[in-house]
Amino acid sequence: QKGADMKEKAWQAALSAYAIESEAIAHAAAALKEDSFMAAVSLLAEAPRIGASGCGHPAYFANISPT
Protein backbone atom coordinates (compact mmCIF):
# COMPACT_ATOMS: atom_id res chain seq x y z
CA GLN A 1 0.00 0.00 0.00
CA LYS A 2 2.83 2.40 0.82
CA GLY A 3 4.33 2.07 -2.67
CA ALA A 4 0.94 2.63 -4.30
CA ASP A 5 0.35 5.71 -2.15
CA MET A 6 3.75 7.10 -3.13
CA LYS A 7 3.04 6.50 -6.81
CA GLU A 8 -0.33 8.24 -6.53
CA LYS A 9 1.29 11.25 -4.83
CA ALA A 10 3.93 11.39 -7.56
CA TRP A 11 1.22 11.22 -10.24
CA GLN A 12 -0.78 14.01 -8.59
CA ALA A 13 2.37 16.13 -8.24
CA ALA A 14 3.11 15.67 -11.94
CA LEU A 15 -0.44 16.65 -12.92
CA SER A 16 -0.23 19.70 -10.67
CA ALA A 17 3.11 20.76 -12.18
CA TYR A 18 1.70 20.49 -15.71
CA ALA A 19 -1.37 22.50 -14.71
CA ILE A 20 0.82 25.25 -13.23
CA GLU A 21 3.08 25.35 -16.29
CA SER A 22 0.18 25.38 -18.76
CA GLU A 23 -1.38 28.31 -16.90
CA ALA A 24 1.93 30.19 -17.01
CA ILE A 25 2.26 29.55 -20.76
CA ALA A 26 -1.31 30.75 -21.33
CA HIS A 27 -0.57 33.98 -19.45
CA ALA A 28 2.63 34.51 -21.43
CA ALA A 29 0.84 33.90 -24.73
CA ALA A 30 -1.88 36.40 -23.80
CA ALA A 31 0.75 39.06 -23.09
CA LEU A 32 2.80 38.39 -26.23
CA LYS A 33 2.84 41.20 -28.76
CA GLU A 34 3.65 40.28 -32.36
CA ASP A 35 5.73 43.38 -33.14
CA SER A 36 7.91 42.91 -30.05
CA PHE A 37 8.33 39.21 -30.78
CA MET A 38 9.30 39.85 -34.40
CA ALA A 39 11.80 42.53 -33.34
CA ALA A 40 13.44 40.03 -30.96
CA VAL A 41 13.54 37.37 -33.68
CA SER A 42 15.20 39.82 -36.08
CA LEU A 43 17.86 40.74 -33.51
CA LEU A 44 18.57 37.11 -32.73
CA ALA A 45 18.73 36.20 -36.42
CA GLU A 46 21.44 38.82 -36.96
CA ALA A 47 23.47 37.98 -33.84
CA PRO A 48 26.84 36.34 -34.45
CA ARG A 49 26.38 34.22 -31.32
CA ILE A 50 23.57 33.47 -28.94
CA GLY A 51 24.13 32.22 -25.40
CA ALA A 52 21.46 30.85 -23.15
CA SER A 53 21.30 30.21 -19.46
CA GLY A 54 19.11 28.00 -17.38
CA CYS A 55 18.73 25.37 -20.07
CA GLY A 56 20.75 22.62 -18.41
CA HIS A 57 23.83 22.76 -20.62
CA PRO A 58 26.40 24.86 -18.70
CA ALA A 59 29.43 22.77 -19.72
CA TYR A 60 28.52 23.08 -23.39
CA PHE A 61 28.27 26.87 -23.19
CA ALA A 62 31.47 27.10 -21.16
CA ASN A 63 33.26 25.36 -24.03
CA ILE A 64 31.99 27.72 -26.75
CA SER A 65 32.02 31.02 -24.85
CA PRO A 66 34.66 33.48 -25.98
CA THR A 67 37.35 34.10 -23.36
Side-chain angles (χ1 to χ4, degrees):
Q1 181 63 23
K2 187 175 179 178
D5 187 45
M6 194 165 100
K7 287 179 181 179
E8 180 60 26
K9 285 182 180 179
W11 174 246
Q12 292 304 318
L15 291 177
S16 177
Y18 277 107
I20 291 166
E21 293 301 320
S22 66
E23 185 178 340
I25 290 169
H27 284 287
L32 193 62
K33 297 193 178 4
E34 185 177 356
D35 58 336
S36 298
F37 180 83
M38 293 303 184
V41 169
S42 293
L43 288 171
L44 290 169
E46 296 172 12
R49 279 193 162 178
I50 299 170
S53 64
C55 63
H57 304 293
Y60 174 75
F61 286 108
N63 291 330
I64 64 168
S65 296
T67 54

